[in-house]
Amino acid sequence: MTIKVGVIGTGNIGADHVTRLSSQVVGSTVTAVFDVDTARAEQVAASAGAVARGSALEVIDDPGVDAVVIASPGDLHAEQVLACIAAQKPVLCEKPLATTATDCLKVIEAEVATGRRWIQVGFMRRYDPGYKVVKDAVDDGTIGEALLAHMIHRNAVVPDSFTSPMAMTDSVVHEIDVTRWLFGQEIVRTTVVPTKPSPLAAAHVRDPQIVLLELAGGGVVTVEVFVNCQYGYDVRCEVVGSTGVVTLDNPSANVLVRHGRRAQTVPADWRVRFGATYLTELQEWITGLRSGVVGGPSAWDGYAATAVAECAVASLDSGAPVPVGLVERPGLYV
Amino acid sequence: MTIKVGVIGTGNIGADHVTRLSSQVVGSTVTAVFDVDTARAEQVAASAGAVARGSALEVIDDPGVDAVVIASPGDLHAEQVLACIAAQKPVLCEKPLATTATDCLKVIEAEVATGRRWIQVGFMRRYDPGYKVVKDAVDDGTIGEALLAHMIHRNAVVPDSFTSPMAMTDSVVHEIDVTRWLFGQEIVRTTVVPTKPSPLAAAHVRDPQIVLLELAGGGVVTVEVFVNCQYGYDVRCEVVGSTGVVTLDNPSANVLVRHGRRAQTVPADWRVRFGATYLTELQEWITGLRSGVVGGPSAWDGYAATAVAECAVASLDSGAPVPVGLVERPGLYV
Amino acid sequence: MTIKVGVIGTGNIGADHVTRLSSQVVGSTVTAVFDVDTARAEQVAASAGAVARGSALEVIDDPGVDAVVIASPGDLHAEQVLACIAAQKPVLCEKPLATTATDCLKVIEAEVATGRRWIQVGFMRRYDPGYKVVKDAVDDGTIGEALLAHMIHRNAVVPDSFTSPMAMTDSVVHEIDVTRWLFGQEIVRTTVVPTKPSPLAAAHVRDPQIVLLELAGGGVVTVEVFVNCQYGYDVRCEVVGSTGVVTLDNPSANVLVRHGRRAQTVPADWRVRFGATYLTELQEWITGLRSGVVGGPSAWDGYAATAVAECAVASLDSGAPVPVGLVERPGLYV
Amino acid sequence: MTIKVGVIGTGNIGADHVTRLSSQVVGSTVTAVFDVDTARAEQVAASAGAVARGSALEVIDDPGVDAVVIASPGDLHAEQVLACIAAQKPVLCEKPLATTATDCLKVIEAEVATGRRWIQVGFMRRYDPGYKVVKDAVDDGTIGEALLAHMIHRNAVVPDSFTSPMAMTDSVVHEIDVTRWLFGQEIVRTTVVPTKPSPLAAAHVRDPQIVLLELAGGGVVTVEVFVNCQYGYDVRCEVVGSTGVVTLDNPSANVLVRHGRRAQTVPADWRVRFGATYLTELQEWITGLRSGVVGGPSAWDGYAATAVAECAVASLDSGAPVPVGLVERPGLYV
Ligand SMILES: [Mg+2]
Ligand SMILES: [Mg+2]
Ligand SMILES: [Mg+2]
Ligand SMILES: [Mg+2]
């Protein structure tokens, strides 16, 4: 059985997903796409033997579409996901599930009303082999009891359109999800610690920033986000347990020795670092759908991540710790 | 277009290939298999929705088979590859192409007679990302002019059936191919240097062994092969150029700190180390076939590797350097 | 000229200093020692050809003593340092200079009154080659402008007598000094973030702890202190600049590969990690004294470190950020 | 007791030794020096408060000299060492002990005739902490039984005066000594394998070269020597045992991350890499002399190293393996 996928949004990540689903994932084709940039949509559609539709809804309601990938701007996600639920079509929604916790709850309410899961949220790091090693070491007691963690999330540069809150909602949101997943606990409080901005960051952007994530079980995770670090894309993680430590660094097999230096390459960007991870994510999504199963990060995970990121933005403004108040978790997500 | 593949030999590597071609490679299905172990063949066939045939020839001649993978014992390869050429079906033949250089030449003669390539030999390391980084650094001048290399090939343990010559024909044959590929030169002389055997190796096996491969251009490659190293599967490579050095080590992203040690995991075996590499090899083979193209390591590469390995076995017996005499390379392989 | 040193306190670090000064440092001998444990003092004195005196004051006032090392319990330091100043003898005082900022100020007042420096405080990390590489990279612009840093300070285990505040005054005090030294700025605020205790820490000790050090220039340093990490002594540092990053990890030249792991050794304790660093510290102290110069970390550095550690202890109790209020820096220390 | 040292030869290494012995080693002073470059000798003498003498013999016979360091050109070593024995003064002779095995034997004969050891040969690597870790792992069974080893010895560049045989007598001689020391066995055969020269090496120099050292116990050591590698000084060692492997790489504690690379520094030259090792060597020599003990690498070690290097030079000329014939080891050196 081949899953016919419709893709909404054909920007960088959407176009990559179209390529993967049409030519690298087993068991899927792409049949329909939509983008507000019609020419772009036509081009991407042509590359995959798909049809460009006139709207997101047309993609969702297309009888030739079995499942939907949403890679549109974040503020459109909630409405599009709700449409997928209404159409009873499984949907892989890039983060965020919605830009506000309130909107996330509307999505959750709609999904819960159907009595089953339709939504997977695109927190792809859970599919990365390196993160899986960390997760296993935490789960199987290799490091004793996990107590705290340190995470780093650096990008070489960001466009001028990037804002200080986006460091929370677009960047740290990954660490928020990773934290919840690794520890198996909710985040109960978050603090953004004011720090000195880089002279190479845009004047309107606080960068770098340090964020503290406090867990229900008492542990604390420190996150450094630095989106203008200049040198590359550098995502790292160190979980500290009661008897040992497990770390994740950039994967590497090669060393180049020249000019007095033994050097390993730092990935240029997230497409280099996590390209294969996205492919695993999509393959597992499609493999699941072929068996009638929706798994992976749920709408609840999307809601929790958005709620914590919202608190981080509030803390960024106030300078004070902000408690995270989540609703009770519906049974569907337990 | 889906390529219907017949797989001959369903031992470990053959069965892995069936799984990959039926469920992980895009554009392929497995329709027929054969193994002398009939029960095994039936089981593997069932897992892939394929049919178990009564002989290798039946697989090759099956009208429902577009292309063939040969993973049978090495001494059967030549005959089976010749049958594929006769049947005008593309074939991916696990190494060796044939167990003697003479038999390899018969295969080459048959392929050349058809005027086109049908054969790819399974030197999968050329598809490994780490080896590609080394190859690129050699080719683009990053390390200046490549002068020599050091290679290590260690296995934790081998079965009792393993013999000293097999270290050349089954293990070092990979370094032989990698050497020819990295340097873009033929090997002209090979020497096996007698060394002290491990007390943990079987009494009839010389292990470890050191092999010198001399290139047409004057460079030398040292190879250590050690198939009872106990600790894991450890394949490494260091190419020394006139201005720099590039190395390949076991890929790693994680460190585990416990009990006074910061440790990275060494792969347990070649399936762990090169599993993803085999998948890339098969995917590129199938993608090529879908466009009517046969590429990758050729019958010539298979012949040269067997010829050099033969000389290494001769040197192992004599203790002296053994010159490698290759026939002239047919135009098909230039 | 040989500097005749008197050593007060012959516990572990004091006895090590006696050995170094008597047999490893050029230009020094040890002539007098004191310890409340008379037998111990006699034994250590004998090992160095020195005399055990009846009190700290007797050592300080001994005409055969040119300079003094104080390695007694911290609450005795202020009084002993004051006696050295009174006796006009250079003194190397192990941290802390005094246990309260108030007492540090009394020492500073006494030293300033003499119009010259007598005191070096034993912040030995400034003499470690790895820290010097970090310092150089910060100072010479190699990483652009230093913005923030992450530091880790872990011990395998601590004795039962260890308390939560001691994590600040005995352990983090090193990171406090390193931070001030690396950034060339004072710390203006410190926060201890409550986190989950290790089940292997004593019930009365909060461990691990996370500390935030905010610099006058706006930068922030995160410090993790974990004195029951079980696996070894692990001190690390990563300074993040506007164009690059410099890190310090445990020095290592060897890898041991066994049992499926490539492993580097983590130092067992601070004597292993910083033994050579202490020797460099003492050698530079003696070399300076032979030229009539007192340099290294000053009484001001000792005061500032104690003041910040005091605020960290206050924050540990209150859970709130605590501003650091330093007096104006006397001209002697500019 | 202070050992008064006379230093013969005040070129780079001799001058460094004068500095170390006069100001960094405990228990020694430098009282006399000699160099054919009189001005240089005067300058170095002045820096250490020593006197420049008119000849090597004057230094050796100086009643104010207790022990001698020989850092003169290698072809003068034998005669000067013999003079030290005649004068009954302990001598630390930089390698080689003599430039021919025959001359080494004359020295041995003279020393044996006195019934005790006077000579230590300057194979300083035995004092390097990294090599000691390797030695310990070999000796204590950590890697099982040591079977073979791979060694690399690279220099960035060499002066025009450097010749192909010097790669054996000046560079590989260190690996020869390390091999004998690590394995506790004599080398019985050596082969220089012709390889492709670097275009950046002088026309008259074969560089790089590969050398095989075969041990009495059957093991083999591969050595790559490359004295124009351009990028730095890179000395490495990997000993392969029956159950594990121990490696030595350039010591490092720091990583610098910039411009897309995580980099460790390669030492610029041997003074950077082994500066501290020379100091340890001299300190242990002096400490021994103060107790009346001469230890460290013996005249026998110097003889064996020269004998093996001679065979390597012969093999370099002939291209064939050259057996090493050592005389019987005198009881003094057992
Ligand atoms: Mg697909
Ligand atoms: Mg397939
Ligand atoms: Mg001394
Ligand atoms: Mg001295």
Side-chain angles (χ1 to χ4, degrees), chain C:
Chain C
M1 183 185 65
T2 297
I3 304 292
K4 289 166 284 181
V5 182
V7 177
I8 299 170
T10 56
N12 282 343
I13 195 168
D16 286 352
H17 283 342
V18 169
T19 300
R20 290 184 192 109
L21 288 163
S22 62
S23 66
Q24 297 166 14
V25 164
V26 174
S28 64
T29 57
V30 177
T31 50
V33 305
F34 167 73
D35 200 283
V36 287
D37 179 341
T38 313
R40 169 81 174 179
E42 294 284 359
Q43 177 192 22
V44 170
S47 76
V51 177
R53 298 288 175 202
S55 72
L57 261 186
E58 278 184 45
V59 169
I60 294 167
D61 291 336
D62 187 335
V65 163
D66 300 325
V68 177
V69 167
I70 296 177
S72 56
D75 56 351
L76 304 177
H77 287 189
E79 181 189 346
Q80 292 166 352
V81 170
L82 287 169
C84 291
I85 294 172
Q88 303 226 336
K89 295 197 178 166
V91 56
L92 175 65
C93 178
E94 280 302 320
K95 52 93 189 161
L97 175 59
T99 52
T100 66
T102 303
D103 279 354
C104 289
L105 286 174
K106 288 183 191 153
V107 172
I108 280 181
E109 190 177 3
E111 186 174 50
V112 166
T114 72
R116 53 155 287 188
R117 283 191 54 188
W118 299 97
I119 307 166
Q120 176 171 331
V121 180
F123 290 123
M124 83 293 178
R125 289 194 192 172
R126 299 190 184 195
Y127 297 90
D128 183 68
Y131 273 110
K132 284 182 180 174
V133 168
V134 174
K135 176 66 170 161
D136 287 348
V138 168
D139 284 354
D140 65 13
T142 298
I143 59 166
E145 187 179 343
L147 302 173
L148 56 84
H150 304 291
M151 302 185 186
I152 283 170
H153 187 148
R154 299 185 189 135
N155 298 71
V157 287
V158 285
D160 271 357
S161 56
F162 199 91
T163 64
S164 300
M166 286 170 70
M168 304 303 143
T169 56
D170 282 27
S171 300
V172 176
V173 71
H174 282 293
E175 274 68 30
I176 290 169
D177 182 64
V178 163
T179 293
R180 294 180 60 255
W181 173 63
L182 287 178
F183 283 83
Q185 296 172 29
E186 296 298 349
I187 294 164
V188 295
R189 205 164 73 140
T190 180
T191 312
V192 177
V193 179
T195 185
K196 179 190 181 91
S198 169
L200 301 175
H204 63 282
V205 179
R206 273 207 226 159
D207 185 49
Q209 301 189 72
I210 293 173
V211 184
L212 304 175
L213 305 173
E214 299 174 47
L215 288 155
V220 174
V221 174
T222 69
V223 181
E224 178 211 310
V225 57
F226 186 11
V227 297
N228 290 283
C229 82
Q230 308 299 317
Y231 68 79
Y233 182 70
D234 199 358
V235 166
R236 290 187 269 145
C237 172
E238 170 167 359
V239 181
V240 183
S242 54
T243 62
V245 166
V246 61
T247 73
L248 169 67
D249 208 324
N250 296 301
S252 183
N254 298 97
V255 170
L256 180 65
V257 194
R258 285 199 309 177
H259 307 143
R261 301 265 173 201
R262 279 181 77 76
Q264 294 183 300
T265 300
V266 176
D269 56 32
W270 52 269
R271 294 170 82 171
V272 174
R273 171 64 182 90
F274 287 116
T277 306
Y278 279 105
L279 184 56
T280 303
E281 175 196 50
L282 288 172
Q283 182 66 70
E284 295 202 16
W285 181 58
I286 291 294
T287 300
L289 294 186
R290 292 169 87 189
S291 311
V293 175
V294 174
S298 69
W300 177 261
D301 296 314
Y303 158 66
T306 293
V308 174
E310 247 175 17
C311 294
V313 172
S315 176
L316 190 159
D317 290 337
S318 72
V322 174
V324 178
L326 299 181
V327 301
E328 198 178 349
R329 188 196 288 238
L332 180 59
Y333 307 112
V334 176

Side-chain angles (χ1 to χ4, degrees), chain B residues 271-285:
Chain B
R271 294 171 83 173
V272 174
R273 172 63 182 86
F274 287 116
T277 306
Y278 279 106
L279 184 56
T280 303
E281 175 195 48
L282 288 173
Q283 181 67 70
E284 294 202 16
W285 181 57

Side-chain angles (χ1 to χ4, degrees), chain D residues 240-252:
Chain D
V240 183
S242 54
T243 60
V245 166
V246 61
T247 74
L248 170 67
D249 208 322
N250 297 301
S252 184

Side-chain angles (χ1 to χ4, degrees), chain D residues 90-176:
Chain D
V91 56
L92 176 65
C93 179
E94 278 303 319
K95 52 93 189 162
L97 175 60
T99 52
T100 66
T102 305
D103 281 354
C104 288
L105 286 173
K106 287 182 193 155
V107 172
I108 281 181
E109 190 177 4
E111 188 176 48
V112 166
T114 70
R116 54 153 286 187
R117 284 189 55 187
W118 299 97
I119 306 165
Q120 176 170 331
V121 180
F123 290 124
M124 84 293 177
R125 288 193 192 172
R126 300 190 186 195
Y127 298 89
D128 183 68
Y131 274 109
K132 285 182 180 174
V133 167
V134 175
K135 176 66 170 161
D136 287 348
V138 168
D139 285 354
D140 65 13
T142 298
I143 59 166
E145 188 179 342
L147 301 173
L148 56 85
H150 305 291
M151 300 186 188
I152 283 170
H153 187 148
R154 299 185 189 134
N155 298 71
V157 288
V158 285
D160 270 356
S161 56
F162 198 92
T163 64
S164 299
M166 285 170 70
M168 304 305 143
T169 56
D170 282 28
S171 300
V172 176
V173 71
H174 282 293
E175 274 70 28
I176 290 169

Side-chain angles (χ1 to χ4, degrees), chain A residues 161-196:
Chain A
S161 55
F162 199 92
T163 63
S164 299
M166 285 171 69
M168 305 304 143
T169 57
D170 283 28
S171 300
V172 175
V173 70
H174 283 293
E175 274 71 28
I176 290 169
D177 182 64
V178 164
T179 294
R180 295 180 60 254
W181 172 63
L182 287 179
F183 284 82
Q185 296 173 28
E186 295 298 346
I187 294 164
V188 295
R189 205 163 73 142
T190 179
T191 312
V192 177
V193 180
T195 184
K196 180 190 180 91

